[in-house]
Amino acid sequence: MTSPLDGNPLSGRDDLQRAVRDLWAPVAARLSPGRARARLGHTAAMFPDVAAELEGFARPLWGLAPLAAGGGEVDWAPIRAGLAAGADPAHPEYWRPPGHRDQRLVEMAAIGVALALVPDRVWTPLPQLARAGLAGWLSEINRVDVVDNNWLFFRVLVNVGLERVGAPGYDPDAETAALNRLETFYLRDGWYQDGPTGRCDYYVPWAMHYYGLLYARLAGHRDPARADRFRDRAARFAREHVHWFADDGAAVPYGRSLTYRFAQHAFWGALAYADVEALSWGVVKGLLLRGLRWWAGRPIADNAGVLTIGYGRPNLIMAEGYNSPGSPYWAMKAFLPLALPGDHPFWRAEEAPLPELDAVTTQPAPGMVHCRSDGHVFTLAAGQPGARFRHGGEKYAKFAYSTAFGFSVPGGGHGLAERAADSMLALSDDDVHWRARADPDETRVGDGVVWSRWTPWPDVEVDTWLLPWLPWHVRVHRLSTSRTLFSAEGGWAVGRDDDAPQAAPDGPGAAAASGPGGASGLRDLLGGRDGVTVLTGPNTNLLEPRAVLPTLRGRHDPGEHWLVCAVLGTTRPDTWAASWTRPPTLDRLRAVLPAEVDLPEVITS
């Protein structure tokens, strides 16, 4: 089985209702005897198994509750049994009290939303003792610390649910304090940062805005000014976020938690749920449905239909330490518009393609320039803080990210094959162990140009400028080093069928390769580097099981060095030859580079 969505046309409301049931069925079959837990695999996360199994039980509620709220059929008996058992200290499947910054707090939010959306299915039929136990367990979120980021919304949503059913434990002061703190994370143009971190990633659409829109719909009647702010910010963000999506529905893979997969598209459904027509309903509907269809045929489930940890396929190498077997079911957030009636304008609208979008768009808040060209969307990135996460440098600080080529993470610590440094300038002082940009020291984005400064060693400094030159993009590096260094600069990683991919001959100044999904190449515009193709380690790429990486190699003595290359990627074989033979020239490039890029005349003459 590729995924439980395979074979579903995903073209309307009935199809999405079917999708939720098909995704839930393999989980329901794995519920524990008391129904309070779901053991969906045998891998571990950084938190205890009891929290992981709660995660497996609770996360499907993000789809089941909207399904039922909109009139869809759900068998709530096992879920109610699980809620009663999990909140009962005398039951062997008791979830146990949450501690500070506990994973259980995350899963409480799904239960709180279920209480708010379908109280008659989840709350009212419970025996009085079970209600008291569940309310008491949920209200613990008001007495422990949550992480100072999007987690504050979990406290809000639990309180919304408790208030909706009139349960004891509702704490309006705790709810308001959390909302006020969340307001301080707002930046501009609809963008939040996820806590005081400086990170702008998918937690902005699938968390900050998603929860804000839920709050606006469920609690806006008692907090109208804040609800209006949440709606207005979401509308602004929609006009920014649309640039992250390709015509075929694919989203730019960027940042952490990508195992949540089609949660990438959940924001569009949340707009509909909160009646925010930021773009036409047909466009919003198309963004959601095309996204789901993009995922439908991909091998993202095991043979029993359980979603796996990974992105385009199962992949534990790219996962975070907090990814348990139940983690991928945050994907169910994409089904929120099922709570709307069938005659809502979102459902009645005819699915529409993307609107006319600029080929190049600068977004200062996340530090990005988005480009649309040759069958994919690619993003030039200044880099964001990500070092605390596994492979954080790869998830936040590569030079470029693409809907068509995915990105790679290291499979090991030795050699370029395991380093898999696509869209990175990797540096080494021993030609074995490689470093690349992780947390940049400084960044700046404006007028289509991305700049960053990073220090891989205390005595090595790199300034990097990135700029679009469609269908190419150009990278300029000023390398100042007090030690002899080896460099390896990668283009896009291209999927390969076997160990003999089609590749251009290695040689001075260029490297290229092609595979079933497209072609990629680099040209060294200053000379001095050799082109090679690197067969990257298995399972290092998010989309491909094996890949080939065109790379420029160089050696640099102590001193200052300028490195300039042009990078091309395309999913259209018919355009490759014409584009590859017409790279940017230095003369034209110098005319558009920022003034601080002062390439020595001796090199450019």
Side-chain angles (χ1 to χ4, degrees):
M1 174 179 288
T2 55
S3 97
L5 305 181
D6 193 17
N8 186 331
L10 296 165
S11 60
R13 191 166 180 263
D14 290 346
D15 297 333
L16 267 63
Q17 290 180 330
R18 170 188 158 192
V20 172
R21 296 189 189 98
D22 289 345
L23 285 160
W24 166 240
V27 179
R30 285 155 182 78
L31 290 174
S32 56
R35 302 294 188 264
R37 305 182 189 179
R39 188 174 185 86
L40 302 181
H42 301 281
T43 57
M46 61 174 57
F47 42 81
D49 286 348
V50 60
E53 292 169 10
L54 164 61
E55 190 174 65
F57 165 84
R59 292 201 169 188
L61 293 174
W62 288 107
L64 292 170
L67 171 62
E73 292 184 8
V74 177
D75 180 7
W76 286 100
I79 299 168
R80 288 194 297 268
L83 292 171
D88 181 1
H91 197 281
E93 296 182 11
Y94 178 47
W95 295 320
R96 303 171 195 168
H100 298 300
R101 300 181 167 214
D102 194 307
Q103 183 66 27
R104 293 165 181 82
L105 305 173
V106 181
E107 313 319 323
M108 284 180 173
I111 298 172
V113 170
L115 293 181
L117 288 180
V118 283
D120 57 321
R121 317 289 178 85
V122 177
W123 177 260
T124 306
L126 286 176
Q128 184 61 39
L129 188 62
R131 288 191 212 168
L134 182 59
W137 182 79
L138 287 170
S139 66
E140 288 295 314
I141 200 169
N142 294 320
R143 290 184 279 276
V144 297
D145 294 335
V146 299
V147 180
D148 189 30
N149 61 7
N150 72 89
W151 280 42
L152 289 157
F153 262 122
F154 303 148
R155 179 174 286 161
V156 172
L157 295 175
V158 167
N159 278 288
V160 167
L162 291 172
E163 190 270 343
R164 174 71 175 85
V165 298
Y170 168 56
D171 187 335
D173 292 337
E175 178 186 71
T176 299
L179 287 163
N180 289 342
R181 176 60 176 163
L182 285 160
E183 295 268 14
T184 69
F185 302 149
Y186 184 70
L187 299 173
R188 55 179 285 193
D189 301 326
W191 283 94
Y192 290 85
Q193 58 180 342
D194 185 22
T197 63
R199 278 193 301 276
C200 297
D201 54 17
Y202 280 104
Y203 278 85
V204 178
W206 72 34
M208 305 298 279
H209 280 299
Y210 187 92
Y211 303 141
L213 291 169
L214 269 171
Y215 180 82
R217 174 71 182 258
L218 295 171
H221 60 284
R222 54 182 171 85
D223 194 1
R226 196 188 312 269
D228 287 344
R229 285 197 300 275
F230 284 163
R231 289 190 174 99
D232 179 67
R233 291 171 184 170
R236 292 171 182 266
F237 181 75
R239 294 186 282 273
E240 292 262 307
H241 196 41
V242 68
H243 294 280
W244 289 51
F245 296 85
D247 293 342
D248 64 356
V252 175
Y254 178 82
R256 65 189 178 100
S257 298
L258 293 177
T259 196
Y260 302 154
R261 294 189 174 104
F262 35 95
Q264 288 173 326
H265 309 271
F267 169 75
W268 305 111
L271 285 177
Y273 179 71
D275 288 319
V276 179
E277 193 176 3
L279 305 169
S280 76
W281 286 127
V283 168
V284 173
K285 186 176 183 179
L287 280 158
L288 175 61
L289 297 184
R290 282 192 303 277
L292 290 171
R293 289 196 292 267
W294 187 86
W295 286 106
R298 298 185 178 275
I300 59 175
D302 65 18
N303 290 338
V306 175
L307 295 180
T308 56
I309 297 170
Y311 189 66
R313 57 187 54 251
N315 190 331
L316 283 175
I317 297 176
M318 57 78 67
E320 287 79 33
Y322 55 79
N323 289 157
S324 85
S327 291
Y329 283 88
W330 249 17
M332 299 288 264
K333 288 182 174 183
F335 298 104
L336 181 58
L338 288 177
L340 299 170
D343 62 355
H344 188 278
F346 170 82
W347 290 119
R348 287 191 288 106
E350 183 176 348
E351 179 182 337
L354 290 173
E356 191 75 24
L357 297 172
D358 291 339
V360 176
T361 304
T362 302
Q363 295 187 350
M368 294 175 171
V369 173
H370 296 288
C371 306
R372 315 184 72 83
S373 179
D374 264 19
H376 68 132
V377 172
F378 65 89
T379 296
L380 306 180
Q384 298 183 23
R388 58 168 290 203
F389 300 107
R390 183 185 296 173
H391 304 314
E394 287 70 30
K395 294 169 181 175
Y396 286 98
K398 287 181 183 283
F399 301 138
Y401 296 85
S402 166
T403 58
F405 300 107
F407 66 85
S408 304
V409 296
H414 288 74
L416 288 175
E418 290 300 316
R419 187 62 181 81
D422 59 284
S423 295
M424 305 181 100
L425 175 65
L427 300 171
S428 172
D429 57 4
D430 63 3
D431 208 18
V432 176
H433 303 89
W434 296 87
R435 301 184 185 188
R437 189 176 72 171
D439 285 347
D441 303 320
E442 300 178 64
T443 65
R444 183 174 62 247
V445 178
D447 297 325
V449 179
V450 175
W451 170 82
S452 69
R453 176 170 292 155
W454 44 293
T455 50
W457 289 270
D459 60 345
V460 177
E461 183 177 85
V462 185
D463 286 276
T464 293
W465 293 264
L466 310 171
L467 63 156
W469 198 290
L470 301 184
W472 301 75
H473 72 270
V474 174
R475 307 175 191 166
V476 179
H477 312 286
R478 180 170 56 206
L479 169 64
S480 299
T481 177
S482 297
R483 62 181 71 190
T484 299
L485 290 175
F486 301 91
S487 68
E489 184 161 8
W492 307 111
V494 178
R496 57 187 170 94
D497 286 335
D498 51 40
D499 288 332
Q502 182 179 348
D506 297 348
S514 63
S520 167
L522 307 87
R523 287 192 180 276
D524 184 4
L525 300 187
L526 289 182
R529 290 187 286 176
D530 292 326
V532 299
T533 47
V534 177
L535 302 183
T536 56
N539 305 310
T540 52
N541 189 265
L542 268 64
L543 293 179
E544 303 291 346
R546 292 182 297 173
V548 57
L549 177 59
T551 302
L552 295 174
R553 291 291 316 267
R555 182 183 182 279
H556 315 284
D557 294 327
E560 181 177 276
H561 305 270
W562 287 89
L563 310 176
V564 183
C565 71
V567 183
L568 176 66
T570 179
T571 64
R572 298 170 178 167
D574 56 318
T575 67
W576 168 259
S579 298
W580 180 244
T581 56
R582 296 168 59 188
T585 63
L586 278 174
D587 287 343
R588 295 177 63 198
L589 183 60
R590 284 179 67 87
V592 299
L593 284 171
E596 68 265 28
V597 181
D598 186 20
L599 299 179
E601 290 295 335
V602 66
I603 295 178
T604 58
S605 60

